[in-house]
Amino acid sequence: MSDPSNASIASNVSISSYPSQLPIVDLSAADRGPEARRLLHAQLHSAAHDVGFFQLVGHGVTETETRALTEAMHAFFALPEVDRLALDTTNSPHFRGYTRVGDERTGGARDWRDQLDIGAERAAHAPGPGEPAYWWLQGPNQWPEALPELRLAALNWIERLSGVAERLLHELLLSIGARPDFYDEAFGRHAHPHLKLVRYPGSSGDAGDEQGVGAHKDYGFLTLLLQDQVGGLQVQREDGLFHDVPPLPGAFVVNLGELLEVATNGYLVATNHRVVSPPGATERFSVPFFYNPRLDARITPLEFPHASAAPGVTADPANPLFAEYGRNELKGKLRAHPLAAARHHADLLTSSGQPAAMSAMSE
């Protein structure tokens, strides 16, 4: 039997059968003539300006590609705990590897999930004299010897979704009247993509394990999330409340990161979101992919005709943003992985264990 792409799946699915609070955007419309592309741009513009989240269909990633990754992910989490802990993130100064349930933090509170963090497979770059500390984020991944198929599937997924995200970013920039290649130089061959394979083991009802992952914004450009059918993702909307995002088969949930908000002075929005732990022994699996620029990329303000209507960036004194992408990611890693940070980067922390001050975007 032939393997349909998600574009064909989307065309055969009645979207109304799957209610969602988020806009649904069909990327394949870019190839269906000027009128279809115009409608795509109108949808992208509205979704990115008004919501900061949408469901993406028509992206071309096939069921075979998706199945290769999800089967390898399930096999990884089925490994004995001792095998997973052999890849503990505390082994890696690059914050790559396995994080057990409760060891990651969001907003200072533990997240009730375990995960494998994977990035581009590159040689370690220990920063030399005068080099920024964020070069510690470049380095090799940790892989389970018993599952060679995981390495192949994960690195293929990074390459595949990097292509989807690049195309999506080009269409998004066009939708607001900007040059589609405006940020190509910030990515290129040395972009810094990041992939997580995540399991939420369910809530026992004890205090503290209902937070699958706490409310936050992503600090890069774009996130493409593959989620299973369990649900639990919630997005904060205009009413200030967090609303469920029902899973849509064949779709990626896309959200904008803080750097796009900064680049457009708030015209495009990064939105708070969180995951509520599934009840009881129910497990939830998800695969967020973060499309990030080079670590040393300095994000130039976007030139686009709606700039005069930009409301400004949301100010958060507890979460300063920096001109170089790498400083934002390093800040986030030091906060989210306190055990690895204390073991490898104590010199980057204050006496209270928080990231030491760095030069801010506004300076």
Side-chain angles (χ1 to χ4, degrees), residues 179-267:
R179 273 190 9 243
D181 61 351
F182 191 90
Y183 287 117
D184 280 6
E185 186 179 352
F187 286 85
R189 292 176 53 249
H190 297 287
H192 191 73
H194 179 206
L195 176 67
K196 285 177 179 279
L197 307 180
V198 185
R199 173 179 62 177
Y200 298 86
S203 171
S204 65
D206 295 335
D209 63 6
E210 68 280 353
Q211 174 177 299
V213 60
H216 66 285
K217 299 177 181 180
D218 297 339
Y219 36 73
F221 264 62
L222 293 170
T223 302
L224 281 68
L225 172 73
L226 176 69
Q227 62 171 340
D228 65 13
Q229 297 306 300
V230 172
L233 174 64
Q234 297 182 334
V235 173
Q236 191 173 33
R237 298 301 300 271
E238 297 87 347
D239 58 8
L241 301 177
F242 283 87
H243 294 262
D244 291 329
V245 180
L248 177 63
F252 292 116
V253 181
V254 176
N255 65 279
L256 278 58
E258 291 174 316
L259 284 187
L260 267 179
E261 180 172 316
V262 169
T264 60
N265 196 30
Y267 189 80

Side-chain angles (χ1 to χ4, degrees), residues 49-299:
H49 175 56
D50 299 327
V51 186
F53 262 85
F54 53 91
Q55 302 258 26
L56 184 73
V57 299
H59 43 71
V61 178
T62 65
E63 287 185 338
T64 296
E65 292 171 303
T66 301
R67 188 164 55 248
L69 181 70
T70 55
E71 288 180 355
M73 172 176 63
H74 282 262
F76 171 74
F77 286 109
L79 289 173
E81 184 180 46
V82 65
D83 292 346
R84 285 178 275 126
L85 289 176
L87 313 179
D88 197 292
T89 311
T90 57
N91 299 332
S92 170
H94 320 295
F95 298 96
R96 307 287 178 85
Y98 175 70
T99 303
R100 75 180 86 192
V101 174
D103 277 359
E104 189 177 32
R105 302 288 191 272
T106 300
R110 65 178 185 171
D111 294 325
W112 201 248
R113 63 179 183 175
D114 58 347
Q115 64 190 33
L116 186 67
D117 281 275
I118 303 164
E121 191 70 81
R122 295 185 180 131
H125 183 166
E131 286 191 303
Y134 58 66
W135 286 115
W136 279 115
L137 298 172
Q138 177 177 305
N141 296 295
Q142 297 190 77
W143 303 106
E145 293 183 5
L147 286 174
E149 64 270 28
L150 178 62
R151 182 182 190 277
L152 178 63
L155 294 181
N156 283 347
W157 194 258
I158 287 175
E159 181 177 2
R160 188 74 168 90
L161 262 66
S162 291
V164 173
E166 179 183 34
R167 184 184 185 202
L168 175 60
L169 180 60
H170 283 178
E171 298 297 338
L172 174 58
L173 295 181
L174 277 170
S175 79
I176 61 171
R179 273 190 9 243
D181 61 351
F182 191 90
Y183 287 117
D184 280 6
E185 186 179 352
F187 286 85
R189 292 176 53 249
H190 297 287
H192 191 73
H194 179 206
L195 176 67
K196 285 177 179 279
L197 307 180
V198 185
R199 173 179 62 177
Y200 298 86
S203 171
S204 65
D206 295 335
D209 63 6
E210 68 280 353
Q211 174 177 299
V213 60
H216 66 285
K217 299 177 181 180
D218 297 339
Y219 36 73
F221 264 62
L222 293 170
T223 302
L224 281 68
L225 172 73
L226 176 69
Q227 62 171 340
D228 65 13
Q229 297 306 300
V230 172
L233 174 64
Q234 297 182 334
V235 173
Q236 191 173 33
R237 298 301 300 271
E238 297 87 347
D239 58 8
L241 301 177
F242 283 87
H243 294 262
D244 291 329
V245 180
L248 177 63
F252 292 116
V253 181
V254 176
N255 65 279
L256 278 58
E258 291 174 316
L259 284 187
L260 267 179
E261 180 172 316
V262 169
T264 60
N265 196 30
Y267 189 80
L268 302 182
V269 295
T271 305
N272 270 320
H273 53 287
R274 68 187 185 188
V275 174
V276 177
S277 294
T282 303
E283 290 184 320
R284 175 183 187 265
F285 293 87
S286 69
V287 185
F289 170 78
F290 304 92
Y291 185 57
N292 302 323
R294 302 188 328 263
L295 288 170
D296 60 348
R298 296 181 69 88
I299 306 307

